[in-house]
Amino acid sequence: MSNEPIALNDALASFDARWSPRIVTRVNDYDVRVAKAQGEHVWHVHEDTDEFFLVLDGELHISLREPTGERTVVLRRGSVFTVPRGIEHKPSAPSGASIMLLEPTGTSSVGDRHDEVPGHVDATTGHELDS
Amino acid sequence: MSNEPIALNDALASFDARWSPRIVTRVNDYDVRVAKAQGEHVWHVHEDTDEFFLVLDGELHISLREPTGERTVVLRRGSVFTVPRGIEHKPSAPSGASIMLLEPTGTSSVGDRHDEVPGHVDATTGHELDS
Protein backbone atom coordinates (compact mmCIF):
# COMPACT_ATOMS: atom_id res chain seq x y z
CA MET A 1 0.00 0.00 0.00
CA SER A 2 1.10 3.55 -0.68
CA ASN A 3 2.32 5.65 2.18
CA GLU A 4 1.40 8.81 0.34
CA PRO A 5 -1.89 10.64 0.77
CA ILE A 6 -4.62 9.43 -1.57
CA ALA A 7 -7.20 11.78 -3.07
CA LEU A 8 -10.49 9.93 -2.89
CA ASN A 9 -11.62 11.58 -6.13
CA ASP A 10 -8.59 10.14 -7.91
CA ALA A 11 -9.33 6.73 -6.44
CA LEU A 12 -12.94 6.95 -7.63
CA ALA A 13 -11.86 8.09 -11.08
CA SER A 14 -9.69 4.99 -11.50
CA PHE A 15 -12.62 2.58 -11.97
CA ASP A 16 -16.15 2.53 -13.31
CA ALA A 17 -17.81 -0.51 -11.76
CA ARG A 18 -20.81 0.07 -9.50
CA TRP A 19 -21.13 -1.68 -6.13
CA SER A 20 -17.53 -2.91 -6.40
CA PRO A 21 -15.49 -1.47 -3.54
CA ARG A 22 -11.81 -0.59 -3.80
CA ILE A 23 -9.49 -0.59 -0.78
CA VAL A 24 -7.81 2.81 -0.49
CA THR A 25 -5.96 2.28 2.79
CA ARG A 26 -5.84 -0.01 5.82
CA VAL A 27 -6.05 0.95 9.49
CA ASN A 28 -4.84 -1.91 11.67
CA ASP A 29 -7.05 -4.82 10.56
CA TYR A 30 -9.69 -2.60 8.98
CA ASP A 31 -10.15 -1.55 5.35
CA VAL A 32 -11.13 1.90 4.18
CA ARG A 33 -12.92 1.28 0.89
CA VAL A 34 -14.56 3.51 -1.70
CA ALA A 35 -17.36 2.49 -4.03
CA LYS A 36 -19.64 3.88 -6.67
CA ALA A 37 -23.30 3.21 -6.05
CA GLN A 38 -26.14 3.22 -8.56
CA GLY A 39 -29.51 1.51 -8.22
CA GLU A 40 -30.06 -1.16 -5.59
CA HIS A 41 -27.58 -3.30 -3.70
CA VAL A 42 -28.94 -6.46 -2.05
CA TRP A 43 -30.43 -7.25 1.35
CA HIS A 44 -27.63 -8.69 3.47
CA VAL A 45 -26.34 -8.86 7.01
CA HIS A 46 -22.93 -8.77 8.68
CA GLU A 47 -23.43 -10.92 11.75
CA ASP A 48 -20.19 -9.98 13.49
CA THR A 49 -19.36 -6.44 12.49
CA ASP A 50 -20.76 -2.95 12.25
CA GLU A 51 -20.38 -1.21 8.89
CA PHE A 52 -19.64 2.50 8.47
CA PHE A 53 -20.77 4.61 5.52
CA LEU A 54 -19.74 8.14 4.52
CA VAL A 55 -21.32 9.71 1.46
CA LEU A 56 -18.74 11.54 -0.63
CA ASP A 57 -21.08 12.57 -3.40
CA GLY A 58 -24.72 12.02 -4.31
CA GLU A 59 -27.24 10.47 -1.95
CA LEU A 60 -27.28 7.03 -0.40
CA HIS A 61 -30.35 5.30 1.01
CA ILE A 62 -29.93 2.44 3.46
CA SER A 63 -32.99 0.31 4.20
CA LEU A 64 -32.83 -1.40 7.58
CA ARG A 65 -34.78 -4.31 9.03
CA GLU A 66 -34.72 -3.44 12.70
CA PRO A 67 -36.49 -5.23 15.55
CA THR A 68 -39.07 -2.44 15.52
CA GLY A 69 -39.69 -2.68 11.78
CA GLU A 70 -38.27 -1.61 8.46
CA ARG A 71 -37.11 1.92 7.73
CA THR A 72 -34.85 3.70 5.28
CA VAL A 73 -32.28 6.31 6.27
CA VAL A 74 -31.13 8.86 3.71
CA LEU A 75 -27.52 10.05 3.71
CA ARG A 76 -26.70 13.17 1.78
CA ARG A 77 -23.18 14.21 0.79
CA GLY A 78 -21.04 14.56 3.91
CA SER A 79 -23.24 12.38 6.11
CA VAL A 80 -22.24 9.26 7.99
CA PHE A 81 -24.10 6.26 9.36
CA THR A 82 -23.10 3.02 11.06
CA VAL A 83 -25.20 -0.08 10.40
CA PRO A 84 -25.01 -2.16 13.58
CA ARG A 85 -23.91 -5.76 13.33
CA GLY A 86 -26.75 -8.22 12.88
CA ILE A 87 -29.09 -5.73 11.19
CA GLU A 88 -30.23 -6.71 7.70
CA HIS A 89 -29.73 -3.79 5.36
CA LYS A 90 -29.91 -2.85 1.69
CA PRO A 91 -28.11 0.21 0.37
CA SER A 92 -29.47 1.93 -2.73
CA ALA A 93 -28.67 5.04 -4.71
CA PRO A 94 -31.48 5.89 -7.14
CA SER A 95 -29.52 8.84 -8.56
CA GLY A 96 -26.02 7.51 -7.90
CA ALA A 97 -23.53 8.11 -5.13
CA SER A 98 -19.88 7.78 -4.22
CA ILE A 99 -19.26 6.37 -0.78
CA MET A 100 -16.49 5.54 1.67
CA LEU A 101 -16.82 2.41 3.79
CA LEU A 102 -15.06 1.15 6.84
CA GLU A 103 -15.10 -2.47 7.97
CA PRO A 104 -12.74 -5.23 9.09
CA THR A 105 -10.43 -6.59 6.40
CA GLY A 106 -12.03 -9.63 4.83
CA THR A 107 -15.62 -8.43 5.27
CA SER A 108 -17.74 -9.44 2.28
CA SER A 109 -19.70 -6.75 0.46
CA VAL A 110 -22.74 -9.03 0.59
CA GLY A 111 -22.35 -10.08 4.20
CA ASP A 112 -22.72 -13.48 5.82
CA ARG A 113 -26.30 -13.97 4.62
CA HIS A 114 -27.92 -12.30 1.66
CA ASP A 115 -30.65 -12.46 -0.93
CA GLU A 116 -29.70 -13.67 -4.40
CA VAL A 117 -26.92 -11.40 -5.61
CA PRO A 118 -27.92 -9.57 -8.80
CA GLY A 119 -25.44 -9.31 -11.64
CA HIS A 120 -24.72 -5.63 -11.04
CA VAL A 121 -23.51 -6.25 -7.46
CA ASP A 122 -19.95 -7.46 -6.90
CA ALA A 123 -19.62 -10.00 -4.08
CA THR A 124 -16.11 -9.16 -2.89
CA THR A 125 -13.94 -8.48 0.10
CA GLY A 126 -12.71 -5.39 -1.77
CA HIS A 127 -10.32 -4.95 -4.67
CA GLU A 128 -6.93 -3.36 -4.50
CA LEU A 129 -7.01 0.14 -5.90
CA ASP A 130 -4.69 -0.51 -8.82
CA SER A 131 -6.27 -3.75 -9.97
CA MET B 1 -25.36 7.19 20.28
CA SER B 2 -27.83 8.22 17.61
CA ASN B 3 -28.89 5.70 15.04
CA GLU B 4 -29.75 8.43 12.58
CA PRO B 5 -27.38 9.70 9.90
CA ILE B 6 -25.13 12.52 11.05
CA ALA B 7 -24.10 15.37 8.76
CA LEU B 8 -20.44 15.99 9.49
CA ASN B 9 -20.91 19.70 8.80
CA ASP B 10 -23.56 19.86 11.53
CA ALA B 11 -21.26 18.01 13.90
CA LEU B 12 -18.44 20.45 13.14
CA ALA B 13 -20.74 23.44 13.59
CA SER B 14 -21.65 22.28 17.11
CA PHE B 15 -18.27 23.22 18.65
CA ASP B 16 -15.47 25.72 18.21
CA ALA B 17 -12.45 24.21 19.97
CA ARG B 18 -9.39 23.44 17.86
CA TRP B 19 -7.56 20.09 18.20
CA SER B 20 -10.39 18.74 20.37
CA PRO B 21 -11.95 15.74 18.64
CA ARG B 22 -15.64 14.82 18.92
CA ILE B 23 -16.88 11.26 18.50
CA VAL B 24 -19.56 11.16 15.81
CA THR B 25 -20.13 7.41 15.66
CA ARG B 26 -18.59 4.12 16.68
CA VAL B 27 -17.76 1.12 14.51
CA ASN B 28 -17.21 -1.96 16.66
CA ASP B 29 -14.45 -0.84 19.06
CA TYR B 30 -13.35 2.08 16.90
CA ASP B 31 -14.30 5.76 17.08
CA VAL B 32 -15.01 7.98 14.12
CA ARG B 33 -14.08 11.46 15.32
CA VAL B 34 -14.14 14.91 13.77
CA ALA B 35 -11.89 17.80 14.74
CA LYS B 36 -11.08 21.34 13.79
CA ALA B 37 -7.41 21.98 13.18
CA GLN B 38 -5.56 25.29 13.27
CA GLY B 39 -1.84 25.82 13.77
CA GLU B 40 0.34 23.03 15.14
CA HIS B 41 -0.57 19.90 17.07
CA VAL B 42 2.24 18.19 18.99
CA TRP B 43 4.79 15.50 18.14
CA HIS B 44 3.38 12.22 19.45
CA VAL B 45 3.24 8.52 18.74
CA HIS B 46 0.63 5.79 19.00
CA GLU B 47 2.70 2.70 19.74
CA ASP B 48 -0.07 0.16 19.16
CA THR B 49 -2.39 1.58 16.54
CA ASP B 50 -2.49 3.12 13.12
CA GLU B 51 -4.37 6.42 12.81
CA PHE B 52 -6.52 7.39 9.82
CA PHE B 53 -7.07 10.95 8.63
CA LEU B 54 -9.56 12.30 6.08
CA VAL B 55 -9.54 16.01 5.29
CA LEU B 56 -13.10 17.36 5.04
CA ASP B 57 -12.13 20.96 4.44
CA GLY B 58 -8.93 23.00 4.27
CA GLU B 59 -5.48 21.43 4.18
CA LEU B 60 -3.76 19.24 6.74
CA HIS B 61 -0.02 18.70 6.98
CA ILE B 62 1.33 15.68 8.81
CA SER B 63 5.02 15.64 9.67
CA LEU B 64 6.42 12.15 10.08
CA ARG B 65 9.62 10.85 11.67
CA GLU B 66 10.23 7.74 9.63
CA PRO B 67 13.23 5.41 9.81
CA THR B 68 14.48 7.04 6.61
CA GLY B 69 14.14 10.59 7.95
CA GLU B 70 11.59 13.29 8.50
CA ARG B 71 9.05 14.37 5.89
CA THR B 72 5.73 16.14 5.74
CA VAL B 73 2.75 14.92 3.74
CA VAL B 74 0.08 17.39 2.63
CA LEU B 75 -3.55 16.33 2.53
CA ARG B 76 -5.96 18.51 0.61
CA ARG B 77 -9.73 18.33 0.95
CA GLY B 78 -10.94 14.84 0.15
CA SER B 79 -7.58 13.16 0.76
CA VAL B 80 -6.81 10.36 3.20
CA PHE B 81 -3.69 9.11 4.93
CA THR B 82 -2.92 6.46 7.51
CA VAL B 83 -0.10 7.10 9.97
CA PRO B 84 1.37 3.68 10.80
CA ARG B 85 1.64 2.65 14.44
CA GLY B 86 4.95 3.53 16.03
CA ILE B 87 5.66 6.49 13.74
CA GLU B 88 6.10 9.82 15.52
CA HIS B 89 3.96 12.44 13.83
CA LYS B 90 2.79 16.02 14.21
CA PRO B 91 -0.30 17.27 12.39
CA SER B 92 -0.57 20.95 11.54
CA ALA B 93 -2.95 23.17 9.62
CA PRO B 94 -1.42 26.58 8.94
CA SER B 95 -4.63 27.83 7.30
CA GLY B 96 -7.07 25.65 9.21
CA ALA B 97 -8.77 22.37 8.38
CA SER B 98 -11.65 20.14 9.36
CA ILE B 99 -10.75 16.49 9.61
CA MET B 100 -12.26 13.07 10.26
CA LEU B 101 -10.24 10.55 12.26
CA LEU B 102 -10.54 6.85 12.83
CA GLU B 103 -8.86 5.01 15.68
CA PRO B 104 -9.64 2.49 18.40
CA THR B 105 -11.92 3.74 21.18
CA GLY B 106 -9.79 5.05 24.02
CA THR B 107 -6.92 6.24 21.82
CA SER B 108 -5.47 9.47 23.20
CA SER B 109 -5.20 12.46 20.88
CA VAL B 110 -1.60 12.93 22.06
CA GLY B 111 -0.60 9.29 21.86
CA ASP B 112 1.41 7.18 24.28
CA ARG B 113 4.47 9.45 24.17
CA HIS B 114 4.50 13.11 23.25
CA ASP B 115 6.29 16.41 23.54
CA GLU B 116 4.96 18.89 26.07
CA VAL B 117 1.32 19.48 25.20
CA PRO B 118 0.67 23.16 24.39
CA GLY B 119 -2.40 24.86 25.81
CA HIS B 120 -4.23 24.91 22.48
CA VAL B 121 -4.11 21.11 22.14
CA ASP B 122 -6.69 19.01 23.97
CA ALA B 123 -5.29 15.75 25.39
CA THR B 124 -8.41 13.59 25.16
CA THR B 125 -9.79 10.24 24.10
CA GLY B 126 -12.52 12.19 22.29
CA HIS B 127 -15.58 14.03 23.54
CA GLU B 128 -19.15 13.01 22.96
CA LEU B 129 -20.74 15.12 20.28
CA ASP B 130 -23.32 16.78 22.52
CA SER B 131 -21.00 17.58 25.39
Side-chain angles (χ1 to χ4, degrees), chain A residues 1-8 11 21-35 100-106 125-130, chain B residues 50-55 75 78-85 100-102:
Chain A
M1 303 296 281
S2 164
N3 64 345
E4 296 294 333
I6 294 173
L8 295 181
R22 261 62 180 174
I23 300 166
V24 291
T25 187
R26 291 189 171 88
V27 186
N28 301 325
D29 52 354
Y30 279 67
D31 291 347
V32 177
R33 305 177 186 173
V34 293
M100 196 188 87
L101 301 151
L102 174 76
E103 49 211 324
T105 298
T125 54
H127 301 277
E128 297 300 323
L129 196 52
D130 294 331
Chain B
D50 303 340
E51 187 173 32
F52 170 84
F53 295 82
L54 163 64
V55 175
L75 285 73
S79 287
V80 303
F81 187 77
T82 301
V83 176
R85 66 183 70 190
M100 195 187 87
L101 301 151
L102 173 77

Side-chain angles (χ1 to χ4, degrees), chain A residues 64-72 86-88, chain B residues 3-4:
Chain A
L64 303 160
R65 288 179 177 150
E66 296 177 324
T68 50
E70 192 170 312
R71 67 175 175 132
T72 299
I87 298 292
E88 280 188 90
Chain B
N3 63 346
E4 296 294 332

Side-chain angles (χ1 to χ4, degrees), chain A residues 3 28 49-50 71 85, chain B residues 3 25 28 49-50 71 85:
Chain A
N3 64 345
N28 301 325
T49 181
D50 303 340
R71 67 175 175 132
R85 67 183 69 191
Chain B
N3 63 346
T25 186
N28 301 324
T49 182
D50 303 340
R71 68 174 175 133
R85 66 183 70 190

Side-chain angles (χ1 to χ4, degrees), chain A residues 19-21 33 41-42 44 46 51 89 91 101 103 106-112 114 121-126:
Chain A
W19 301 121
S20 183
R33 305 177 186 173
H41 199 261
V42 63
H44 67 283
H46 305 282
E51 186 173 34
H89 58 286
L101 301 151
E103 49 211 324
T107 300
S108 168
S109 60
V110 298
D112 307 305
H114 52 78
V121 169
D122 185 13
T124 177
T125 54

